[in-house]
């Protein structure tokens, strides 16, 4: 592989707290190894439209504690086409960029895989998504902050639920995966957790409400992942309200507060490790891999594997949540 001199870095897809810490680590690790770093603004959209500028060490000062991403992020339909990616590659060449670090989720890594297959550019991915739904890594950047934000919100909702004897359905993010719901549910002592990975809802929820809940509790919290198969929190709450007229049923959708805010210590440290590992991987002639963390150790997972495999939900945690909610 040709020697790497100039590395491009971008954030893509949904923003996640800790992306800035990752940009900082990529930048400083690259500079430490004598490389130049180019920031690509607005993800693949900016790659196609040549929004590319050199980043120096001081440009990433004072950002480790900030949510969002200083490089901005975007979704680009043009990049999904062969022509769009060819245009993007031309801009990389014009700027003499010879390797790429892509910080983002599943879709962003799919884009990186196609770009490096179609053109001669090594790409390394850094898992950046609050959903934690990437196969091959225990944690993705932003997940820890998102579950802490959701947990704090649920704590507040519980106060009012208990004061009024209400049953709250709280919807958290997770279109395809229940990772945020499961951990938030356990951390906040939820009475039930509804996630897309499980064929639960109505019947099981009814039994739970009739047999267990009614006898012992006067208020409660049910966490619903937005991608839950029977619909979001509103749909499920409506069904329950019809069947259980005695409950005062309320719904809260947490929404985008889960994406924002200053990253947790865990996310900052993980992002720093993964950002640095991405540069190490490129210098080690790796391409088309995502860097991840498994059992606290850095791993390299081929793009194909992480994109095609589905990360399993932790069944032990799910069972624990059910036992502890009796
Ligand atoms: P999040 O998990 O936070 O949603 P993501 O990276 O999965 O993040 P997407 O919107 O799926 O977010 O993807 C981000 C961008 O990656 C897309 O806007 C598109 O430019 C590119 N991308 C996604 N899927 C593909 C694909 N199949 N082919 C080419 N590019 C893709």
């Amino acid at each position: 592989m040709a020697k790497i001199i100039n590395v491009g870095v971008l954030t893509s897809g949904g923003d996640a707290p800790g992306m800035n810490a990752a940009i900082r680590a990529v930048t400083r690790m690259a500079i430490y190894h004598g490389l130049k770093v180019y920031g690509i603004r607005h993800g693949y959209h900016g790659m196609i439209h040549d929004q590319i500028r050199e980043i120096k060490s001081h440009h990433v000062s004072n950002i480790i504690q900030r949510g969002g991403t200083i490089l901005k992020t975007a979704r680009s339909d043009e990049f999904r086409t062969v022509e769009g990616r060819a245009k993007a590659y031309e801009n990389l060449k014009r700027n003499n960029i010879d390797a790429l670090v892509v910080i983002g989720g599943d879709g962003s890594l799919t884009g990186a895989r196609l770009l490096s297959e179609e053109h001669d550019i090594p790409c390394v991915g850094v898992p950046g998504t609050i959903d934690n739904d990437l196969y091959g890594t225990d944690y993705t950047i932003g997940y820890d902050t998102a579950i802490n934000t959701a947990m704090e919100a649920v704590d507040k909702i519980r106060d009012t639920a208990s004061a009024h004897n209400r049953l709250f359905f709280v919807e958290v993010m997770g279109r395809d995966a229940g990772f945020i719901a499961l951990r938030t549910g356990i951390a906040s002592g939820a009475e039930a957790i509804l996630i897309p990975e499980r064929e639960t809802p109505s019947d099981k929820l009814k039994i739970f409400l009739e047999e267990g809940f009614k006898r012992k509790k006067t208020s409660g919290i049910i966490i619903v992942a937005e991608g839950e198969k029977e619909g979001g929190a509103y749909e499920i709450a409506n069904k329950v309200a019809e069947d259980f007229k005695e409950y005062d049923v309320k719904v809260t959708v947490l929404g985008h507060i889960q994406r924002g805010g200053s990253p947790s210590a865990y996310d900052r440290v993980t992002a720093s490790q993964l950002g640095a590992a991405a540069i190490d991987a490129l210098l080690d002639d790796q391409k088309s891999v995502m860097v991840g963390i498994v059992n606290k150790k850095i791993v390299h997972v081929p793009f194909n594997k992480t994109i095609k495999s589905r990360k399993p939900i932790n069944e032990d945690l799910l069972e624990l949540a059910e036992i502890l909610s009796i």
Side-chain angles (χ1 to χ4, degrees):
M1 215 185 283
K3 190 171 181 295
I4 294 170
I5 300 168
N6 300 315
V7 180
V9 58
L10 70 146
T11 48
S12 168
D15 61 305
M19 278 183 161
N20 280 327
I23 294 167
R24 173 180 177 271
V26 167
T27 303
R28 296 222 163 134
M29 193 64 167
I31 290 171
Y32 173 79
H33 283 291
L35 313 180
K36 279 192 174 178
V37 185
Y38 288 81
I40 301 163
R41 283 167 69 84
H42 299 111
Y44 293 126
H45 174 85
M47 200 186 283
I48 290 171
H49 296 279
D50 200 14
Q51 298 175 6
I52 302 174
R53 301 278 175 281
E54 188 178 350
I55 318 183
K56 303 268 194 192
S57 186
H58 69 270
H59 291 130
V60 294
S61 293
N62 206 14
I63 65 166
I64 197 167
Q65 76 281 20
R66 284 167 56 191
T69 154
I70 58 159
L71 289 176
K72 311 275 184 177
T73 184
R75 304 195 198 263
S76 165
D77 284 337
E78 204 179 347
F79 195 80
R80 291 174 183 270
T81 66
V82 173
E83 299 75 29
R85 292 191 292 274
K87 226 162 136 185
Y89 179 70
E90 283 313 307
N91 284 326
L92 295 178
K93 282 291 104 184
R94 202 190 347 271
N95 288 279
N96 296 315
I97 292 174
D98 30 41
L100 209 56
V101 176
V102 174
I103 305 167
D106 188 47
S108 303
L109 302 190
T110 306
R113 179 177 72 94
L114 291 171
L115 183 74
S116 68
E117 261 173 27
E118 293 162 0
H119 303 282
D120 182 25
I121 181 129
C123 296
V124 167
V126 174
T129 166
I130 61 168
D131 293 333
N132 198 33
D133 59 351
L134 279 169
Y135 179 89
T137 185
D138 290 343
Y139 272 92
T140 58
I141 296 166
Y143 176 54
D144 185 66
T145 308
I147 54 182
N148 276 294
T149 302
M151 178 193 73
E152 283 167 23
V154 174
D155 287 349
K156 293 186 171 110
I157 292 166
R158 193 179 275 289
D159 289 345
T160 174
S162 133
H164 286 277
N165 288 348
R166 280 173 176 160
L167 183 60
F168 263 89
F169 286 77
V170 182
E171 185 176 299
V172 297
M173 281 189 168
R175 266 171 307 173
D176 307 307
F179 297 102
I180 294 180
L182 178 56
R183 263 191 130 72
T184 301
I186 291 181
S188 56
E191 273 62 38
I193 302 168
L194 307 180
I195 56 175
E197 291 87 343
R198 268 285 167 100
E199 304 283 345
T200 5
S202 301
D203 292 348
K204 214 169 164 197
L205 187 59
K206 261 185 203 164
I207 294 167
F208 167 74
L209 290 171
E210 272 162 4
E211 293 183 0
F213 190 69
K214 211 169 177 178
R215 272 188 285 118
K216 301 175 218 130
K217 304 197 184 185
T218 51
S219 69
I221 303 279
I222 296 181
I223 306 287
V224 185
E226 63 179 333
E228 207 290 318
K229 288 198 182 82
E230 289 193 23
Y234 276 105
E235 279 91 321
I236 294 176
N238 284 341
K239 282 183 204 158
V240 168
E242 256 173 44
D243 292 345
F244 296 89
K245 300 236 176 328
E246 66 275 31
Y247 290 137
D248 184 6
V249 174
K250 298 282 175 207
V251 176
T252 301
V253 177
L254 295 187
H256 284 81
I257 62 163
Q258 293 160 94
R259 283 199 185 282
S262 179
S264 67
Y266 191 88
D267 270 332
R268 295 182 200 191
V269 174
T270 309
S272 300
Q273 288 177 294
L274 290 173
I279 294 297
D280 282 342
L282 283 172
L283 291 173
D284 200 22
D285 284 347
Q286 301 265 358
K287 55 189 279 191
S288 295
V289 295
M290 176 191 82
V291 291
I293 290 198
V294 174
N295 294 331
K296 300 190 175 142
K297 292 214 164 61
I298 296 288
V299 294
H300 297 155
V301 194
F303 278 157
N304 270 347
K305 204 161 180 194
T306 190
I307 291 161
K308 290 195 181 136
S309 315
R310 190 169 167 80
K311 186 175 185 173
I313 200 90
N314 185 330
E315 293 289 337
D316 292 343
L317 270 189
L318 200 53
E319 196 186 335
L320 179 66
E322 283 173 10
I323 292 170
L324 298 184
S325 68
I326 55 174

